[in-house]
Amino acid sequence: MRRLRPIGLMAIGHACVDVYQGAVPSLVPFLVAERGLGYVAVSGITLAATLLSSVVQPVFGVLTDRRPLAWLIPVAMTTAGLGIALLGVGHSYWAAWLAAALSGLGVAAYHPEAARMARAVSGGSHVGMSWFSVGGNVGFALAPVLVTPLIAAGGLALTPVLVVPALVGALITSLAIRGAVAGVGRPQRAGSDDWPSFLRLSAIMVCRSIVFVGLGTFIALYAGERVGGGTTTGGVALFILFAAGAFGTLLGGRFATRYGRVRTMRTSYAVAVPAIAGLVFVPGPAFFGFLALTAIAMSIPFSLHVTLGQDFLPGRVGTAGGMTLGLAVSIGGIATPVLGTIAEEWSLRVALTTLIALALTSSLIGYALKEPVVE
């Protein structure tokens, strides 16, 4: 119970900071409507936030490996919120671009040290790390719920209000790490770094990221095609994707404790193969059942990626956290335009069919991994 409270608080903090990863896409329609920005311009702002965050995260990971930086966690959260708060201030495109980049920098600075601290305060518990990870999922999903009504009511001039979740999250996270810092210093090296296994794990994460981000981008449109109902059906599909994904993340920690991380991971991706095939090819209401099963199967390994990466690189825990969390954002976003091109050239069904092969690839690569021995 002593470990439950700090990891619960850190999960809430993780939700507060990941709101800002979903805030930029939520602001895009308003940037188009109020500023008259074109698709290329708003894509540039989105890229400033997501790609910079993903690229810089490993750098912060290296820094946290050299010395503990617990103070960086609340500072980074505040920076992420400040960037979004400034995004709607003024009318300069480049000011908005820099504000988005500032928010992305804050997100990048947060994750490596926060992942290291969460692992430490949870005592290495897989269940604890699953709670921390699902906090991020919840934050990303809540972004449109928080951003859209506010900006619809008062316009982009109200973006400064969006700094509030960052301030609340910084306060909550500070409570979680207070008193724990003394016992959570720089992690001691326990065994040698296994880079070949870590690179195989990275390949799995790349495939998983493309599948989940691709579904998040196109599933609302595909739901309308398969089931009918237009935007309402699309909204239901997105809710199922995010809610079932959060549930799957929590299951991952419990399954890993009972069956082992590697076994749980490869089995989950194997289950995802027929699940994706079902949602792509089976018409009617069964579509939603296959979507839920896909989201659960693809999310069960999410938190396990982080702890496996840290155990494969025991001497570079921060670097491992930065790379695992960074890949989850950047690769999927970069590959999504490829899926869009396939959809335009052939069909959305053909584009989503390619995701079946990626899930299968993740499962097969899993057989090349062994459970790391933690000394």
Side-chain angles (χ1 to χ4, degrees):
M1 291 299 297
R2 287 196 299 269
R3 289 171 178 170
L4 181 61
R5 182 175 179 271
I7 200 64
L9 293 176
M10 291 204 69
I12 296 173
H14 195 186
C16 289
V17 77
D18 274 10
V19 161
Y20 300 107
Q21 296 207 66
V24 174
S26 301
L27 288 170
V28 163
F30 300 100
L31 290 169
V32 173
E34 289 191 31
R35 304 282 175 83
L37 299 182
Y39 293 130
V40 174
V42 294
S43 296
I45 290 178
T46 302
L47 192 65
T50 58
L51 187 59
L52 178 64
S53 172
S54 301
V55 170
V56 175
Q57 278 193 58
V59 176
F60 281 103
V62 172
L63 293 177
T64 61
D65 283 333
R66 294 180 177 176
R67 59 181 302 176
L69 300 172
W71 59 267
L72 182 62
I73 299 176
V75 170
M77 299 176 74
T78 305
T79 302
L82 181 62
I84 296 299
L86 295 174
L87 199 150
V89 177
H91 297 280
S92 167
Y93 172 78
W94 288 109
W97 191 94
L98 289 172
L102 179 65
S103 181
L105 186 65
V107 170
Y110 167 84
H111 281 99
E113 180 66 5
R116 185 184 73 83
M117 183 65 69
R119 181 77 184 278
V121 299
S122 67
S125 165
H126 302 319
V127 174
M129 281 301 293
S130 70
W131 276 105
F132 174 73
S133 298
V134 84
N137 295 345
V138 171
F140 195 97
L142 285 178
V145 177
L146 298 175
V147 172
T148 301
L150 176 69
I151 306 305
L156 291 171
L158 288 184
T159 56
V161 178
L162 295 174
V163 76
V164 172
L167 299 178
V168 172
L171 176 61
I172 290 173
T173 305
S174 296
L175 294 175
I177 63 179
R178 180 184 299 172
V181 175
V184 184
R186 180 180 177 181
Q188 296 298 314
R189 187 182 183 93
S192 59
D193 295 331
D194 185 357
W195 280 101
S197 293
F198 182 80
L199 293 177
R200 294 186 190 102
L201 177 66
S202 298
I204 292 173
M205 290 187 294
V206 168
C207 294
R208 188 263 178 196
S209 177
I210 295 173
V211 172
F212 210 84
V213 175
L215 288 175
T217 303
F218 297 113
I219 200 63
L221 297 173
Y222 194 65
E225 291 183 8
R226 301 298 292 169
V227 186
T231 56
T232 300
T233 302
V236 171
L238 282 173
F239 174 78
I240 291 174
L241 178 68
F242 290 130
F247 178 65
T249 302
L250 291 178
L251 285 180
R254 299 191 178 278
F255 285 168
T257 301
R258 183 168 183 176
Y259 302 110
R261 289 171 293 179
V262 173
R263 182 182 177 186
T264 297
M265 181 178 64
R266 66 167 73 113
T267 302
S268 297
Y269 287 130
V271 171
V273 172
I276 298 173
L279 77 86
V280 171
F281 295 109
V282 176
F287 165 87
F288 294 111
F290 284 112
L291 175 60
L293 180 59
T294 297
I296 292 172
M298 294 299 299
S299 298
I300 283 175
F302 182 67
S303 65
L304 311 185
H305 292 160
V306 180
T307 59
L308 278 170
Q310 291 172 335
D311 287 341
F312 283 139
L313 301 182
R316 296 175 174 82
V317 172
T319 300
M323 291 182 69
T324 52
L325 293 169
L327 281 171
V329 177
S330 61
I331 302 300
I334 293 171
T336 298
V338 178
L339 295 176
T341 301
I342 295 173
E344 289 185 358
E345 290 293 327
W346 289 281
S347 70
L348 193 50
R349 174 186 282 188
V350 173
L352 295 180
T353 299
T354 64
L355 304 183
I356 300 173
L358 292 173
L360 177 61
T361 300
S362 292
S363 180
L364 293 177
I365 296 176
Y367 285 93
L369 292 177
K370 294 182 179 179
E371 191 75 29
V373 178
V374 181
E375 299 179 4

